[in-house]
Amino acid sequence: MNIEQLLLAKKYAVAFLNTFEKTIDFNAYQAIEKMYNFFNSNPQTLVVLAAPTLELETKSQLIEKIVHYYQAPNELMKLVSLLIKQQRLLLLPSILLQLTRVYRERNQLVAFTFYGSHELAEHETRMLSQFLEQKINKNILYNSVIDKELIAGIRLKSDTWLWEYSVEKQLRAIENSLH
Amino acid sequence: MLSNGISVFFRYLNFISFIGVVLYFFYKKSVPKIRQHIEEKKSLEHIQHNNYEQLIQKEYILKQQLKDQEDSYNILLDKVRQWQDAVEKDQKKILQEYETIARANKQKVAIQEKNQSQKRLEMSVIPRALADARLQLSNAFSIDENEKEYVHVLLNQIQKSIQ
């Protein structure tokens, strides 16, 4: 995606959030994020959406099913209709991504991924979340992932922040100091 | 008695006449020769005197020339010494520059060798050592308790920092 498309997607996202600010709550945000993850992990869906032989009505119905499946706000269908009308349906995944970002910005939220060398318990992730909230003074959204490459340790990563303490990091530091 | 006196008289007269004749011939024949001889001698002496004067003059000129040459030699010698000093200084400077360049080259070569050996080390030994370290650490922490203990200690530290 080039920078122009990115800016355009952000414009759509900002306009959508300005219009439906009251209806987009945290649950809606989570649903939108899930929808984005769906499009991101199933790029073939985009190929279907891009197919010129497929009728616009069918495309719209397909997206509506996804919206309902993820319990995303129905207002999204208005955005989809607009994109279909303006022949910019392929921008939808990017707009969904920008929606999550703009929502987080407006609500002082930062999405982190907690990488652990083993599966982190609920109380551990909560404690890490508190730790980050203290550090960056923002509310933390997180998901937890196992990363064996850490060997032993934890990595807390967002779009703009990174905190890590692991054996792998120490090895990297040694490697960098030797070069 | 008389005759004896006359005889003595004549004897003296004869003797005087003889002396007069001898003196006359001596005066006539020898004196001009002696005079000529004396004049020749005087003339020779004069020539010799002139020669002597000339020789003295020549000697003076030669001495002067010798002195001039000696002065020139001394000036030339000074110049040669100055030139020699300058050349020695130049040679010394060139030698110092050469030594500086040689030292710099030696240092450069030493640094390059060090860099090359460091690079060789980086290219071969370090990646192998790091890979070994990574493998050993992976093995050590593949034991569940070790890895969990490490993370547990880390989480405790974080817990303390937020309290």
Side-chain angles (χ1 to χ4, degrees), chain A residues 117-118 120 124 127-128 130-131 134 148 151-154 163 165-168 170-172 174-175 178-179, chain B residues 118 122 126-127 130 133-134 137-138 141-142 144 146-148 150-152 154-156 158-159 161-163:
Chain A
S117 49
H118 67 262
L120 296 167
E124 289 171 337
M127 190 258 288
L128 287 172
Q130 283 175 7
F131 168 68
Q134 276 193 7
K148 288 284 178 193
I151 301 174
I154 292 166
W163 186 94
Y165 194 95
S166 67
V167 173
E168 172 59 28
Q170 288 176 50
L171 282 169
R172 276 202 312 272
I174 292 167
E175 198 170 358
L178 291 171
H179 285 115
Chain B
Q118 180 71 21
E122 283 174 10
I126 292 169
L130 283 167
R134 186 171 271 113
L137 285 164
S138 296
F141 285 105
S142 65
D144 218 25
N146 291 347
E147 187 269 326
K148 281 188 175 163
Y150 184 89
V151 176
H152 182 67
L154 172 61
L155 289 169
N156 279 343
I158 293 170
Q159 177 79 50
S161 76
I162 60 175
Q163 277 172 352

Side-chain angles (χ1 to χ4, degrees), chain B residues 93-106:
Chain B
K93 201 177 168 186
I94 288 165
L95 196 68
Q96 279 176 345
E97 280 175 5
Y98 172 77
E99 281 173 354
T100 308
I101 291 166
R103 210 164 33 241
N105 280 339
K106 206 175 172 183

Side-chain angles (χ1 to χ4, degrees), chain B:
Chain B
M1 203 52 193
L2 186 61
S3 63
N4 199 18
I6 293 166
S7 172
V8 171
F9 170 74
F10 276 106
R11 272 188 199 164
Y12 277 113
L13 188 66
N14 277 336
F15 181 71
I16 289 163
S17 300
F18 176 74
I19 291 298
V21 169
V22 167
L23 285 172
Y24 173 77
F25 278 105
F26 175 75
Y27 186 76
K28 273 279 181 190
K29 294 281 178 187
S30 297
V31 168
K33 280 184 180 176
I34 288 165
R35 273 186 186 155
Q36 193 186 353
H37 184 72
I38 288 164
E39 277 183 8
E40 278 176 358
K41 265 201 163 182
K42 273 184 180 175
S43 172
L44 191 68
E45 268 179 9
H46 183 69
I47 289 163
Q48 279 179 340
H49 181 74
N50 283 344
N51 284 341
Y52 176 73
E53 288 284 323
Q54 281 177 354
L55 282 171
I56 284 171
Q57 191 70 26
K58 276 183 181 175
E59 188 194 9
Y60 175 76
I61 290 163
L62 281 170
K63 275 183 180 172
Q64 194 64 38
Q65 282 178 346
L66 194 67
K67 194 175 173 293
D68 288 348
Q69 279 183 354
E70 205 169 324
D71 287 347
S72 299
Y73 166 76
N74 283 333
I75 290 165
L76 194 65
L77 194 66
D78 278 350
K79 283 183 178 175
V80 167
R81 277 178 187 154
Q82 282 174 2
W83 174 79
Q84 197 176 3
D85 284 351
V87 167
E88 277 174 2
K89 273 181 188 172
D90 277 355
Q91 279 182 339
K92 206 173 173 182
K93 201 177 168 186
I94 288 165
L95 196 68
Q96 279 176 345
E97 280 175 5
Y98 172 77
E99 281 173 354
T100 308
I101 291 166
R103 210 164 33 241
N105 280 339
K106 206 175 172 183
Q107 282 176 348
K108 199 176 166 185
V109 168
I111 289 166
Q112 280 177 343
E113 279 176 359
K114 194 181 167 189
N115 287 345
Q116 279 180 350
S117 62
Q118 180 71 21
K119 208 167 185 177
R120 276 199 295 275
L121 197 71
E122 283 174 10
M123 295 283 279
S124 60
V125 180
I126 292 169
R128 219 180 311 142
L130 283 167
D132 285 350
R134 186 171 271 113
L135 186 68
Q136 283 180 20
L137 285 164
S138 296
N139 288 338
F141 285 105
S142 65
I143 300 164
D144 218 25
E145 290 103 44
N146 291 347
E147 187 269 326
K148 281 188 175 163
E149 177 63 23
Y150 184 89
V151 176
H152 182 67
V153 171
L154 172 61
L155 289 169
N156 279 343
Q157 292 290 326
I158 293 170
Q159 177 79 50
K160 280 179 192 168
S161 76
I162 60 175
Q163 277 172 352

Side-chain angles (χ1 to χ4, degrees), chain A residues 50-63:
Chain A
T53 51
L54 201 67
E55 285 182 16
L56 293 177
E57 188 64 29
T58 316
K59 288 180 185 178
S60 181
Q61 282 172 2
L62 182 67
I63 293 167

